[in-house]
Amino acid sequence: MPGLLRGVARTAVISGTATAVSNRVSRRQAGRWAEQDRQRQMVYEQEAAPMAPAPPPPAPSAPVAADDMTAKIEQLKQLGDLKAQGVLTEEEFQAQKRRILA
């Protein structure tokens, strides 16, 4: 019986050690693969960066201001319609108008 118990204990120790070593090797290999993937990704990004088209030049600011004013006028028209329908009170209309024109 003591010989059997010793054999089982030895097998358990060997099995545990093998599992620990196997896990360590797997983690180390996964780390190496991840590093290789990062390096490949960096090389790919560096090669792809010059091929990317140049960003378009900024648009002139005058049309943007006109579009902004058009949007404000539309909002004011909508507010006027809401006030005419009785949805907004005079105070609410004035408050919203000040907010839009600010």
Side-chain angles (χ1 to χ4, degrees):
M1 187 80 158
L4 179 64
L5 189 56
R6 189 175 316 149
V8 170
R10 184 179 309 150
T11 301
V13 169
I14 292 171
S15 174
T17 303
T19 301
V21 169
S22 173
N23 288 341
R24 183 168 182 250
V25 168
S26 295
R27 281 191 301 269
R28 188 177 342 147
Q29 189 66 34
R32 287 180 185 163
W33 288 340
E35 182 61 31
Q36 287 175 356
D37 287 344
R38 278 192 291 270
Q39 289 175 355
R40 285 187 192 127
Q41 184 66 26
M42 285 178 24
V43 168
Y44 174 75
E45 289 173 356
Q46 289 173 353
E47 290 174 354
M51 293 182 209
S61 61
V64 174
D67 290 340
D68 187 41
M69 186 55 71
T70 304
K72 287 182 180 183
I73 290 171
E74 277 299 314
Q75 288 178 338
L76 289 172
K77 285 180 183 178
Q78 290 174 353
L79 278 177
D81 291 342
L82 289 173
K83 182 183 170 215
Q85 294 172 5
V87 175
L88 292 177
T89 65
E90 181 65 31
E91 294 82 24
E92 292 170 331
F93 174 75
Q94 292 299 328
Q96 290 298 318
K97 187 171 85 170
R98 279 192 298 275
R99 182 186 61 82
I100 291 171
L101 294 176

